[in-house]
Amino acid sequence: MPPLRRPNAKAPAARSAIFGPRRDPLEDEARFLRSWFERPLVTGAVTPSGKMLARTMASYVDPRREGPVVELGPGTGPVTEALIRRGVAPERLILVEFNPDFCRLLTHRFPGVTVIRGDAYDMRASLKAVLTQPAAATISSLPLFTKPLEQRLDLLNTAHDLMQPGAPFVQFTYAVVPPIPARCEAGSYTADRSNRVWLNLPPARVWVYRRP
């Protein structure tokens, strides 16, 4: 009978160096629910994005494309984790989060990422001190339907101004209609959508906007 081997102690250490403490889904849901009760128009959702939705959003980011990746409204970090698992180095990630409790959690949970407490709808001011080159992508979990269309379009235009040509602005929605119109009469952006992610609760869809 072969001798028993000791468990490899390096694997947890390596994971901890990248992700920090493990996420507790039930605890994250409780945080989201509490935040939603306190600020329903800011938090937007009552639960974090599911793993399948987070992976779908991250799939539109090419980790081989150089430059920082901006995430708006990361919450407790499910999409952040999906981006890192996709191959985006933590040091490339800039997270803009309004909730101070979520900011502390993200800093603790994802060593190496840059966490900015700021207004994601005012990207220029929030990113002014940290975005030193055009971004490779912008990933948004913001509740866009709580804002007027003019403000949503301004956010999209600002994101494209701060990104490389052709870089994606990735946004999910629970609604059956796009959070920003799919057709642009002015031709300033194009829009593509994913299949509906039925395994998310509630089901969601991902929209990807690019500037031609």
Side-chain angles (χ1 to χ4, degrees), residues 2 14 22 26 29 32 60 68 75 94-95 97 102 117 127 129 133 147 159 171-172 177 193:
R22 288 185 178 275
L26 292 178
E29 288 184 11
F32 247 80
Y60 290 99
I94 302 175
L95 315 183
E97 173 58 53
F102 288 168
R117 194 203 168 194
L127 297 172
Q133 59 180 303
K147 302 294 183 181
Q171 172 74 47
F172 87 89
V177 296
R193 65 179 185 177

Side-chain angles (χ1 to χ4, degrees), residues 13-119:
R15 185 199 180 283
S16 180
I18 298 174
F19 291 111
R22 288 185 178 275
R23 289 199 309 121
D24 183 335
L26 292 178
E27 189 174 327
D28 282 358
E29 288 184 11
R31 285 191 181 99
F32 247 80
L33 188 60
R34 183 169 59 249
S35 178
W36 184 84
F37 275 121
E38 294 172 352
R39 309 179 187 92
L41 294 181
V42 174
T43 303
V46 295
T47 60
S49 300
K51 286 186 177 182
M52 185 61 70
L53 176 57
R55 285 200 295 266
T56 302
M57 296 178 73
S59 71
Y60 290 99
V61 178
D62 184 354
R64 298 167 299 180
R65 187 170 191 160
E66 296 182 359
V69 174
V70 177
E71 186 180 355
L72 307 177
T76 58
V79 179
T80 309
E81 182 171 339
L83 287 167
I84 294 173
R85 291 191 182 281
R86 179 148 173 81
V88 179
E91 292 75 19
R92 294 178 57 195
L93 288 170
I94 302 175
L95 315 183
V96 182
E97 173 58 53
F98 185 79
N99 187 314
D101 295 332
F102 288 168
C103 287
R104 287 189 289 270
L105 177 68
L106 292 163
T107 301
H108 183 60
R109 183 167 283 172
F110 302 105
V113 306
T114 299
V115 180
I116 302 297
R117 194 203 168 194
D119 182 0

Side-chain angles (χ1 to χ4, degrees), residues 153 177-185 189-193 207-209:
L153 288 169
V177 296
I180 298 172
R183 299 184 65 179
C184 176
E185 300 298 335
Y189 65 82
T190 61
D192 297 293
R193 65 179 185 177
W207 285 85
V208 184
Y209 299 87

Side-chain angles (χ1 to χ4, degrees), residues 68-73 94-97 116-140 142 144 151-164 168-171 180:
V69 174
V70 177
E71 186 180 355
L72 307 177
I94 302 175
L95 315 183
V96 182
E97 173 58 53
I116 302 297
R117 194 203 168 194
D119 182 0
Y121 291 99
D122 189 3
M123 287 183 64
R124 290 187 189 279
S126 296
L127 297 172
K128 183 177 181 180
V130 295
L131 191 65
T132 58
Q133 59 180 303
T138 298
I139 315 295
S140 170
L142 298 174
L144 292 190
Q151 191 169 359
R152 287 178 253 159
L153 288 169
D154 184 64
L155 174 69
L156 179 63
N157 288 329
T158 301
H160 281 145
D161 288 345
L162 297 176
M163 290 194 294
Q164 303 165 14
F169 178 90
V170 183
Q171 172 74 47
I180 298 172

